Amino acid sequence: MTNGNLHHKKLGLTDEDVLNMYETMLMARRIDERMWLLNRAGKIAFVISCQGQEAAQVGAAYALDKTKDYIAPYYRDMGVVLHFGMTAKDLMLSAFAKAEDPNSGGRQMPGHFGQKKNRILTGSSPVATQIPHAVGVALVAKMQNKDYVSFVTLGEGSTNQGDFHEGLNFAGVHKLPVITMVENNKYAISVPIEKQLGNEKVSDRAIGYGMPGVTVDGMNPLAVYQAVKEAADRARAGEGPTLIEAITYRLTAHSSDDDDRQYRSADDIAQGRANDPINRFENYLKDTGVASDDLLNEMNVRVMNVVNEATDYAEEAPYSPPEHALKHVYAEGAGE
């Protein structure tokens, strides 16, 4: 596994860069925590959590060019979409299923991200369908000689879907500029990793598709940044796709409709929480002298103000009228 004692300056990152990375991770965590509270209060219907995977998401997103690259995120990727331009207000509008939800106007479940202006490809509920879409975007980049890469994520359970094989095989054959990152959180809902894979690592599958495969510490945003940056540089140089496996841990149940106490022990969950990526990166920032407790506390207050404002706005925002249920489904008259 690629990790080690990385220092951000050796990766070309400034102190400001890593503070921004941490703030994006923290924003994702605080939005997610608020959504769980809203769900338990009966105000929103469903939560599918990013907690424990923020480091992988934000480290990867920061290694891409958010001004031109395309992303096909999976449902937990709050950290990715926040970096690419979605806001706390956007995400709360989606959670409340309000008319202003930029993903689908309140039609889709939370976590079905999509925003054309930020090159976020719309996701659907069947897992792994985003992979052929991302590969198709990369094919266009190669055919038109465009300087962008496509980035797609999924959970390790989804690597057993046919879309994974078809997408990666096509990308490998045609040497397309696409990066596939598997966020291995050890569970496909309730199925543990040892009952999902016949081999040890997801990244071992890369050799079958003719592309490099690497496993990284997904709890360390700098390790993920390094791996994705190298993959992006390869892709832009015409050297083809990369498969990255980021080892993470899902700190919550699969979703708000799941009870993980039925299949995870208290010790298992405690060990995962002891390796919380938010705490780890916070300690790194303090140990390297980048941040003080006062600075981090100020950042948390600022983030919570944004989350509070977004929550209040989304809760008060109007729902779509019933007659709009079929908008964007059937063709409409010219100019409508």
Side-chain angles (χ1 to χ4, degrees):
M1 184 188 296
T2 302
N3 44 46
N5 296 316
L6 291 172
H7 193 285
H8 61 279
K9 291 188 176 177
K10 291 183 178 179
L11 299 176
L13 294 168
T14 65
D15 290 355
E16 184 179 6
D17 288 331
V18 290
L19 285 172
N20 287 337
M21 291 171 75
Y22 175 78
E23 186 162 357
T24 305
M25 290 170 59
L26 189 65
M27 181 68 74
R29 176 65 62 88
R30 296 295 182 249
I31 293 170
D32 195 285
E33 290 172 340
R34 175 59 54 82
M35 287 179 175
W36 279 92
L37 292 174
L38 291 166
N39 172 263
R40 294 315 191 224
K43 292 188 174 184
I44 65 174
F46 185 76
V47 183
I48 192 142
S49 189
C50 70
Q51 291 186 42
Q53 298 177 217
E54 300 95 340
Q57 296 167 5
V58 174
Y62 267 79
L64 301 170
D65 187 335
K66 66 179 181 179
T67 68
K68 62 183 178 183
D69 291 338
Y70 284 76
I71 60 171
Y74 96 123
Y75 48 80
R76 298 194 191 280
D77 273 343
M78 197 179 292
V80 175
V81 300
L82 280 169
H83 179 67
F84 264 72
M86 278 200 170
T87 65
K89 185 184 291 185
D90 291 336
L91 294 166
M92 281 297 177
L93 285 164
S94 175
F96 278 97
K98 295 301 180 73
E100 290 181 70
D101 162 31
N103 300 278
S104 68
R107 292 166 175 79
Q108 289 264 49
M109 294 170 69
H112 291 58
F113 307 112
Q115 197 170 40
K116 185 176 181 180
K117 70 178 183 179
N118 287 316
R119 296 165 314 286
I120 302 172
L121 303 185
T122 298
S124 60
S125 293
V127 298
T129 54
Q130 68 272 23
I131 300 171
H133 300 161
V135 170
V137 169
L139 177 62
V140 172
K142 184 169 184 177
M143 292 173 67
Q144 297 182 353
N145 197 29
K146 295 288 183 67
D147 180 34
Y148 66 77
V149 302
S150 176
F151 175 75
V152 59
T153 58
L154 65 159
E156 83 288 346
S158 298
T159 65
N160 300 311
Q161 296 288 107
D163 300 81
F164 177 82
H165 168 71
E166 293 173 22
L168 268 69
N169 190 61
F170 192 92
V173 168
H174 297 284
K175 303 299 180 192
L176 301 181
V178 58
I179 303 164
T180 302
M181 188 175 84
V182 177
E183 297 178 34
N184 181 354
N185 65 19
K186 311 294 181 65
Y187 288 91
I189 305 183
S190 61
V191 181
I193 185 70
E194 61 270 16
K195 292 185 178 179
Q196 299 177 47
L197 304 179
N199 55 327
E200 182 181 353
K201 297 185 291 188
V202 172
S203 61
D204 290 339
R205 296 180 172 182
I207 192 172
Y209 304 117
M211 66 180 71
V214 60
T215 297
V216 299
D217 178 5
M219 309 296 262
N220 180 350
L222 300 181
V224 180
Y225 173 90
Q226 181 182 43
V228 175
K229 183 68 167 61
E230 290 173 357
D233 290 345
R234 286 187 66 256
R236 295 189 209 282
E239 297 175 19
T242 303
L243 174 62
I244 297 170
E245 176 187 22
I247 304 297
T248 65
Y249 187 84
R250 197 187 75 206
L251 293 178
T252 68
H254 171 73
S255 73
S256 53
D257 292 340
D258 174 46
D259 182 0
D260 59 338
R261 294 172 299 179
Q262 302 300 313
Y263 55 87
R264 296 204 290 196
S265 69
D267 287 344
D268 181 15
I269 296 171
Q271 288 176 18
R273 291 200 172 278
N275 201 28
D276 187 324
I278 300 284
N279 296 338
R280 275 184 56 178
F281 202 42
E282 182 177 302
N283 290 334
Y284 169 84
L285 295 175
K286 290 192 288 187
D287 290 346
T288 53
V290 173
S292 63
D293 285 328
D294 287 344
L295 179 63
L296 295 172
N297 289 334
E298 289 172 11
M299 188 180 292
N300 188 61
V301 169
R302 182 167 66 246
V303 165
M304 286 307 305
N305 285 338
V306 172
V307 173
N308 290 335
E309 290 172 8
T311 304
D312 292 343
Y313 181 90
E315 188 168 8
E316 296 300 321
Y319 291 101
S320 290
E323 56 268 26
H324 285 185
L326 297 182
K327 279 183 73 69
H328 315 300
V329 177
Y330 299 104
E332 299 176 354
E336 295 183 12

